[in-house]
């Protein structure tokens, strides 16, 4: 399993999880298995290793595989991964501020709505169980088609009225939504180019539209 991150893990996070030379190991299932993690640039690779067989546990990678053992392993790995990704929020002041704003204003905590993409953070309106905001890592050139930049950035997808979205897109601070319906969603890089107050105002509008 390979996870693309929107930013490198901080040195403090790497140290806390025991990374040395980009690698770390954690015991699973009472010592019978091991989670081996490799950090390269902005990509985290996870491999569950069967210690008795001295080889990767391939069933972990099979989506259709079920049973008590593979389910327990997935739960343990998900827990570790979510804790690491939770620390990534703390490593980005703007994301941390956004999470705090949503929690304070709407009493909504960040979640990971897509099991196959745990690096994606989502915010839902509880009453209708629908997403009103999504934070995800993308290659910059995927949102700015005219750019040759290939580094990863975190973007925030928000809902808006079609006419307002059309008028706001400038391909500098606001872009057509990545992986969402471009008529109703917009993508905003979380790199400080949009002021916090303006960003929070757009979050409020997205919440209101989603709650209807």
């Amino acid at each position: 399993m390979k996870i693309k991150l929107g930013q490198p893990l901080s040195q403090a996070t790497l140290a806390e999880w025991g990374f040395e030379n980009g690698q770390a190991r954690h015991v699973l299932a009472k010592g019978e298995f091991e989670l081996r993690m490799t950090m390269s640039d902005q990509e985290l690779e996870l491999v569950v290793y069967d210690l008795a067989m001295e080889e990767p546990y391939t069933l972990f990678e099979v989506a259709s595989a079920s049973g008590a053992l593979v389910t327990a392993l997935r739960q343990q790995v998900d827990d570790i991964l979510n804790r690491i990704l939770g620390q990534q929020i703390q490593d980005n002041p703007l994301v941390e501020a956004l999470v705090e704003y949503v929690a304070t204003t709407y009493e909504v905590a960040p979640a990971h709505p897509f099991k196959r993409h745990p690096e994606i953070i989502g915010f839902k309106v509880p009453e209708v169980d629908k997403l009103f905001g999504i934070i995800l890592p993308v290659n910059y050139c995927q949102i700015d088609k005219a750019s040759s930049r290939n580094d990863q950035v975190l973007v925030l997808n928000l809902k808006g009225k079609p006419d307002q979205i059309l008028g706001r897109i400038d391909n500098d601070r606001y872009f057509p939504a990545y992986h969402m319906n471009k008529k109703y969603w917009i993508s905003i890089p979380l790199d400080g180019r949009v002021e916090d107050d303006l960003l929070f105002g757009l979050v409020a509008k997205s919440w209101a539209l989603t709650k209807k």
Side-chain angles (χ1 to χ4, degrees), residues 89 95 98-113 120-126 129-133 135 207:
I89 292 175
V95 176
L98 181 62
V99 169
E100 182 178 352
Y101 168 78
V102 172
T104 302
T105 308
Y106 306 111
E107 298 183 348
V108 170
H112 301 281
I120 297 176
I121 300 169
F123 303 96
K124 284 187 175 183
V125 176
D129 194 34
K130 291 183 179 180
L131 289 163
F132 70 93
I135 299 174
W207 165 276

Side-chain angles (χ1 to χ4, degrees), residues 1 4 8 22 25 56 123 156 185 210:
M1 176 191 297
K4 290 185 177 181
R25 298 183 179 188
F123 303 96
L156 172 65
W185 291 80
T210 306

Side-chain angles (χ1 to χ4, degrees), residues 20 27 48 50 53 86 94 114 139 149 159 166 179 187 196 201:
E20 293 185 5
V27 174
V48 173
D50 187 328
M53 299 298 293
L94 181 53
F114 308 110
N139 292 336
R149 282 179 54 185
K159 187 174 287 188
L166 192 61
H179 259 312
S187 284
D196 287 5

Side-chain angles (χ1 to χ4, degrees), residues 15-84:
E16 182 175 340
W17 287 94
F19 279 88
E20 293 185 5
N21 298 319
Q23 296 185 328
R25 298 183 179 188
H26 284 270
V27 174
L28 303 172
K30 299 179 181 179
E32 297 178 4
F33 294 83
E34 189 174 68
L35 174 61
R36 299 185 177 182
M37 300 185 288
T38 302
M39 187 72 200
S40 176
D41 294 326
Q42 291 174 242
E43 185 173 79
L44 180 63
E45 182 177 9
L46 308 174
V47 176
V48 173
Y49 203 81
D50 187 328
L51 295 177
M53 299 298 293
E54 298 185 346
E55 63 182 19
Y57 184 58
T58 54
L59 276 180
F60 180 80
E61 301 290 344
V62 179
S64 60
S66 59
L69 177 58
V70 71
T71 299
L73 287 171
R74 284 176 178 154
Q75 183 60 53
Q76 284 185 278
V77 172
D78 284 349
D79 180 60
I80 291 172
L81 184 57
N82 287 337
R83 285 157 63 193
I84 291 176

Side-chain angles (χ1 to χ4, degrees), residues 128-147:
V128 294
D129 194 34
K130 291 183 179 180
L131 289 163
F132 70 93
I134 302 171
I135 299 174
L136 69 164
V138 302
N139 292 336
Y140 188 82
C141 61
Q142 291 179 299
I143 57 169
D144 186 351
K145 304 299 184 182
S147 175

Side-chain angles (χ1 to χ4, degrees), residues 7-16 19 39 87-88 90-91:
Q7 61 188 28
L9 296 176
S10 70
Q11 290 301 314
T13 297
L14 292 172
E16 182 175 340
F19 279 88
M39 187 72 200
Q87 285 172 291
Q88 188 188 26
Q90 298 172 7
D91 293 339

